[in-house]
Amino acid sequence: MSYLDKIDKTHLPKHIAVIMDGNGRWAQQRGLDRTFGHKEGEAAVRRAIEAVAIAGVPYLTLYAFSTENWRRPEEEIKALMALMIQAVSRQTAELVKNNVRVKVIGDIARLPEDTQKALDYCLQTTSVCTGSTVIIALSYSSKWEITEAVKAIAADIEAGKIETKDITENLITSYLATKDYPDPDILIRTGGELRISNFLLWQIAYSELYFTDELWPEFNEESLYKAIVDYQNRERRFGKTSQQVSGNP
Ligand code: IPE
Ligand code: IPE
Ligand code: MG
């Protein structure tokens, strides 16, 4: 029986975020160059997108390249940027077919021009899609995002558009790159590391964390459905007591 059949369709997560880690190790275990792991990672991305579309999860955020990843060897960065172009051009038609809209968050201006162009094409072409939204975090880090938000809030105060007393949690949220999306219900990290690596720090304040040893190229539809089932068996209390949440006196 597939984990898909065990999912309670009335209690789906609205947003799943994924730290796609383990490409390099997957390749190295096979005596291959790390780049092969990134190539294989593309297939896992396709599977994850298809799985959320089938399960009916409205938002999927994929951490593809962090601000800190700019510190990697130049050759690996080049290969990743080239792969991004290939992946985007290969997959746009399929995304449209599956009614998936693509968005990006991150410091996109830092990406090479041809990568930006390929992304633009994908964003434009899929903008009409009304099914699931896939948000790719590229050249992204949470501290970068929060720093940008603080600068923008300060600028709007200086310009007289808002006042210090207007600063609330909701206002801060509205200055983040993720302002149009709900906070993730689940954060999945593949690859066995137990850390967040500067990803969505504000947004995951109350997310359910799910770590798996599977390396990203091994991650498939079943892995994602399994994570959803695990999530559905948790009790989210948001500070309340179990009795309050379950409605039992
Ligand atoms: C994740 O896989 C992909 C990126 C960060 C771009 P890694 O490349 O980090 O793989 P490992 O962690 O070295 O195995
Ligand atoms: C996190 O993976 C970033 C992405 C998956 C894009 P890393 O492999 O870069 O994380 P650290 O540096 O090991 O924490
Ligand atoms: Mg890694």
Side-chain angles (χ1 to χ4, degrees):
M1 185 170 161
S2 161
Y3 277 99
L4 181 59
D5 304 317
K6 297 186 183 162
I7 293 176
D8 172 1
K9 288 273 161 52
T10 65
H11 177 49
L12 282 172
K14 281 198 183 64
H15 186 174
I16 299 178
V18 187
I19 302 175
M20 311 185 287
D21 197 21
N23 292 351
R25 277 165 286 165
W26 183 90
Q28 281 162 339
Q29 281 173 4
R30 286 159 181 76
L32 301 167
D33 187 82
R34 295 176 52 84
T35 315
F36 283 93
H38 298 312
K39 283 204 183 112
E40 201 61 29
E42 184 195 336
V45 167
R46 214 174 46 229
R47 291 194 292 268
I49 294 176
E50 213 166 285
V52 295
I54 289 171
V57 174
Y59 295 95
L60 172 71
T61 297
L62 299 171
Y63 201 8
F65 192 84
S66 71
T67 304
E68 287 74 22
N69 289 146
W70 288 114
R71 300 175 185 150
R72 292 205 176 182
E74 205 185 310
E75 283 312 303
E76 183 169 341
I77 295 176
K78 264 198 195 150
L80 273 165
M81 294 301 147
L83 189 66
M84 213 78 78
I85 297 174
Q86 287 172 19
V88 159
S89 6
R90 266 201 289 261
Q91 292 198 31
T92 300
E94 176 114 354
L95 290 162
V96 171
K97 207 178 87 199
N98 291 328
N99 201 19
V100 172
R101 178 175 69 141
V102 177
K103 295 277 184 183
V104 287
I105 52 171
D107 193 359
I108 302 304
R110 271 183 91 172
L111 299 174
E113 224 166 273
D114 50 355
T115 308
Q116 289 189 41
K117 254 200 184 147
L119 273 172
D120 268 348
Y121 169 74
C122 181
L123 298 185
Q124 292 292 333
T125 314
T126 63
S127 63
V128 291
C129 298
T130 53
S132 301
T133 299
V134 173
I135 302 139
I136 307 173
L138 254 183
S139 186
Y140 171 89
S141 78
S142 194
K143 288 190 176 182
W144 166 81
E145 179 189 34
I146 292 171
T147 306
E148 291 303 305
V150 171
K151 281 195 248 174
I153 291 170
D156 282 352
I157 291 175
E158 264 179 44
K161 290 186 194 158
I162 53 170
E163 296 177 41
T164 305
K165 67 170 173 52
D166 298 328
I167 299 177
T168 58
E169 288 186 10
N170 283 343
L171 180 114
I172 294 172
T173 300
S174 76
Y175 278 78
L176 296 175
T178 53
K179 63 180 186 310
D180 297 326
Y181 320 121
D183 286 344
D185 298 298
I186 324 176
L187 171 67
I188 298 174
R189 182 174 187 140
T190 63
E193 309 293 356
L194 304 181
R195 55 178 174 258
I196 302 298
S197 303
N198 213 350
F199 190 43
L200 301 176
L201 300 176
W202 175 274
Q203 299 86 339
I204 61 165
Y206 253 113
S207 303
E208 295 298 326
L209 307 182
Y210 182 91
F211 296 98
T212 165
D213 287 335
E214 276 175 294
L215 301 172
W216 178 248
E218 298 166 345
F219 197 82
N220 60 26
E221 293 86 344
E222 277 300 294
S223 323
L224 191 108
Y225 299 146
K226 189 175 172 205
I228 295 177
V229 171
D230 187 282
Y231 160 82
Q232 291 186 326
N233 286 318
R234 299 188 191 188
E235 183 179 65
R236 303 185 79 189
R237 291 192 286 277
F238 297 101
K240 296 182 178 174
T241 66
S242 184
Q243 284 85 345
Q244 285 177 297
V245 172
S246 64
N248 293 328

